[in-house]
Amino acid sequence: MKRFIGFVKKEFYHIFRDKRSLFILFGMPIAQILLFGFAITNEINNVDIAILDQSNDIETQKIIYKIKASPYFNVENQIEKESDIESEFKKGKIKAVLIFEPNFSKNLETKKVAVVQAITDATEPNVANTIANYTSAIIQNYQSQKKQSNSNQVKVEVQSRMFYNPELKSVFNFVPGVMTVILMLVSAMMTSISITREKELGTMEILLVSPLKPFQVIIGKVFPYIFLSIINAIVILTLGYFVFKMPINGSLFLLAFESILFIISALSLGILISTVSNSQQTAMMLSLMGLMLPVIILSGFIFPINSMPLPMQVISNIIPAKWFIIIVKAIMLKGVGIQYIWKETLILIGMTVFFITLSIKKYKIRLE
């Protein structure tokens, strides 16, 4: 019995001495419960919208005030004319535009009916539908208060219009998200495991002390995964276009460039994971728990980022998948050019350079 107790104590000592094991055992569950608790929500909050007030009278100001007081919306700006709506959507900042018809108050008094049009960016169908429902609820609340203060029966109609996805097909959100997850899976996870396998066998150290420079070794190891990831991207886009009727309204060349850029970014992240992993098991755990879950939850693929707490929104900015999903939707659904997505592109390039530089430095330190 004493031998058994001694053996159990030894195992505990081994676990407590291994900081990586402790992080996986205690750090990952805490991180996951925080992610799932704060990030997973079907509600929307703090969605940026714009207003086109063609009447600019007291009644429209009352409705706009109620909208501003709502926790669901942030009134980002006032639009002067309808021709500006599409350009605002292409910038990707606002998710909806509320249009008040001319002579709004006059129509309420004389015709007893006035119209508010809610135009939403339906590249995210669930968010667009929720925005339309919230807008209708706010207008109905205004209408009920109007009826209580005035015996005359008046009606405010809300007309919804969906840009880029009028049929609200969920596949238009599904294809870019799945493409992102698969490219991250193949690129980051498989690269980290492949390089760690070489380290376990001892062949990686032999390569690193060869006449080849560290960056040449790294590029040589990951180049096959660039090729495989490009094939995966082509297959996904082909299935989305021909099977699910997913439109590609923008430039194919620009889409291909952005996809390759994201693949390289994911590969560089996989290389970085391999530098801190001494075994395939550790690399697998870090890739799954520390990479795949944030990619799915904090990229905006399933849950709207604007509805998350501010710390989660800040963390989401360091996830390459978030920027790639924005880029893919903008090119495929909105048909935008580089002038609208240059900021996201520069962020991806910066992340890629940072990951590659850090990985090369780590390998140089191991050599020294």
Side-chain angles (χ1 to χ4, degrees):
M1 189 64 182
K2 289 182 179 180
R3 291 179 180 177
F4 175 74
I5 294 173
F7 177 75
V8 172
K9 287 182 179 180
K10 179 186 72 69
E11 292 299 316
F12 271 109
Y13 289 145
H14 279 304
I15 293 173
F16 290 133
R17 287 171 183 167
D18 189 352
K19 294 181 180 179
R20 293 190 182 93
S21 297
L22 287 176
F23 177 74
I24 293 172
L25 286 171
F26 299 107
M28 289 299 182
I30 294 172
Q32 288 180 42
I33 195 64
L34 290 175
L35 281 175
F36 280 89
F38 286 114
I40 297 180
T41 175
N42 291 323
E43 299 177 356
I44 63 166
N45 292 292
N46 304 314
V47 175
D48 293 326
I49 66 172
I51 303 291
L52 174 54
D53 189 354
Q54 301 178 95
S55 181
N56 197 24
D57 53 43
I58 187 170
E59 297 300 330
T60 60
Q61 292 303 313
K62 287 180 180 178
I63 296 175
I64 293 172
Y65 178 78
K66 289 184 71 67
I67 292 170
K68 288 181 177 179
S70 166
Y72 306 125
F73 302 121
N74 290 325
V75 178
E76 185 66 20
N77 56 9
Q78 297 275 347
I79 295 178
E80 299 297 330
K81 52 186 183 297
E82 289 191 32
S83 58
D84 295 335
I85 294 176
E86 189 166 3
S87 63
E88 289 294 325
F89 277 143
K90 285 184 176 180
K91 291 176 183 176
K93 178 65 175 175
I94 64 170
K95 295 296 182 183
V97 177
L98 300 185
I99 303 177
F100 293 89
E101 66 176 354
N103 303 317
F104 189 90
S105 295
K106 185 178 179 181
N107 290 339
L108 276 181
E109 292 177 4
T110 58
K111 300 178 182 179
K112 307 301 180 185
V113 176
V115 177
V116 177
Q117 189 176 23
I119 301 180
T120 55
D121 179 355
T123 53
E124 298 178 25
N126 293 333
V127 174
N129 198 31
T130 305
I131 290 173
N133 292 335
Y134 284 180
T135 303
S136 297
I138 292 173
I139 298 297
Q140 287 176 5
N141 179 264
Y142 160 80
Q143 187 171 290
S144 63
Q145 292 179 353
K146 184 77 173 173
K147 288 180 179 179
Q148 290 175 3
S149 60
N150 191 345
S151 58
N152 294 327
Q153 296 294 316
V154 295
K155 182 179 181 181
V156 180
E157 293 183 352
V158 180
Q159 299 177 352
S160 298
R161 181 183 171 191
M162 307 295 177
F163 258 44
Y164 310 117
N165 186 8
E167 298 178 5
L168 291 179
K169 291 183 177 180
S170 60
V171 72
F172 286 10
N173 184 55
F174 175 77
V175 170
V178 170
M179 178 178 173
T180 303
V181 173
I182 290 177
L183 291 182
M184 183 64 75
L185 176 69
V186 173
S187 303
M189 184 182 296
M190 298 307 297
T191 303
S192 65
I193 294 173
S194 173
I195 294 177
T196 309
R197 184 189 306 120
E198 298 287 348
K199 289 164 64 176
E200 281 186 330
L201 296 174
T203 54
M204 192 64 184
E205 302 299 333
I206 296 174
L207 288 173
L208 289 174
V209 297
S210 68
L212 292 173
K213 295 181 179 180
F215 77 91
Q216 292 176 322
V217 174
I218 293 172
I219 291 173
K221 289 294 298 180
V222 303
F223 185 79
Y225 292 101
I226 296 177
F227 178 72
L228 293 173
S229 299
I230 291 173
I231 293 176
N232 274 324
I234 294 172
V235 170
I236 294 167
L237 291 174
T238 303
L239 289 174
Y241 184 77
F242 289 104
V243 178
F244 299 109
K245 309 302 179 183
M246 178 83 181
I248 304 178
N249 296 320
S251 168
L252 276 174
F253 176 79
L254 180 59
L255 181 60
F257 169 76
E258 299 289 354
S259 298
I260 294 173
L261 177 60
F262 176 70
I263 288 169
I264 296 173
S265 177
L267 285 169
S268 61
L269 193 53
I271 296 168
L272 186 59
I273 291 174
S274 71
T275 62
V276 297
S277 305
N278 293 321
S279 65
Q280 297 180 64
Q281 185 177 8
T282 304
M284 177 73 77
M285 292 296 293
L286 288 175
S287 299
L288 282 174
M289 301 298 183
L291 190 60
M292 293 308 298
L293 282 177
V295 164
I296 294 172
I297 296 173
L298 296 178
S299 65
F301 169 31
I302 301 176
F303 308 104
I305 294 175
N306 286 338
S307 301
M308 300 176 188
L310 184 59
M312 291 291 184
Q313 295 184 38
V314 173
I315 293 172
S316 71
N317 290 327
I318 63 174
I319 298 175
K322 170 190 173 179
W323 307 107
F324 182 65
I325 288 178
I326 293 173
I327 290 170
V328 172
K329 286 182 178 178
I331 295 174
M332 297 182 71
L333 298 177
K334 299 181 182 180
V336 304
I338 191 65
Q339 69 270 24
Y340 289 102
I341 54 174
W342 64 270
K343 292 181 182 179
E344 290 81 3
T345 303
L346 286 180
I347 290 172
L348 274 183
I349 293 173
M351 288 182 174
T352 304
V353 172
F354 174 76
F355 294 146
I356 292 176
T357 304
L358 190 58
S359 300
I360 292 175
K361 286 183 178 179
K362 288 280 187 180
Y363 276 118
K364 283 183 177 178
I365 291 172
R366 291 176 66 90
L367 284 174
E368 294 172 356

